[in-house]
Amino acid sequence: VRRAAKVDANQAAIVAALRKVGATVHSLASVGNSCPDLLIGYRAQNFVMEIKMPGEELRPGQRTWMEGWKGHACVAHTCEEALYSIGALKRKLPA
């Protein structure tokens, strides 16, 4: 029996920030199998994004999935990281 997908507490804020800059966002949290949390479309590009709480690292299966993906794959802990990862911010803000 599959457990309900865990959604990080910061995911709603990150999704809202992405949508605010004009990105389309679709949750992939229910897919499982180490698939990233979000599918994002922005300026004719697609991204998959894993959301983590600050200080959290990718689990081994997630790392393997991300390393094997042939498209844009990124990890975000904050709204700023998410926006930087898709090119909506020109430089990464200091932590």
Side-chain angles (χ1 to χ4, degrees), residues 42-43 80 83-93:
Y42 184 69
R43 295 185 176 170
E80 291 80 13
L83 295 173
Y84 175 78
S85 294
I86 68 166
L89 283 179
K90 296 302 176 201
R91 63 181 179 83
K92 196 170 186 175
L93 301 176

Side-chain angles (χ1 to χ4, degrees), residues 12-94:
I14 290 172
V15 168
L18 291 165
R19 287 182 174 152
K20 187 174 181 178
V21 298
T24 54
V25 183
H26 183 78
S27 175
L28 300 175
S30 65
V31 173
N33 296 320
S34 298
C35 182
D37 296 314
L38 302 176
L39 173 62
I40 302 158
Y42 184 69
R43 295 185 176 170
Q45 294 186 66
N46 295 311
F47 304 84
V48 290
M49 184 178 291
E50 178 63 32
I51 305 300
K52 290 290 184 189
M53 292 298 295
E56 283 187 336
E57 299 292 328
L58 291 173
R59 294 188 311 270
Q62 292 172 324
R63 183 169 307 287
T64 299
W65 197 103
M66 299 289 269
E67 289 170 353
W69 186 247
K70 304 294 188 226
H72 296 285
C74 49
V75 179
H77 298 86
T78 65
C79 295
E80 291 80 13
E81 281 184 354
L83 295 173
Y84 175 78
S85 294
I86 68 166
L89 283 179
K90 296 302 176 201
R91 63 181 179 83
K92 196 170 186 175
L93 301 176

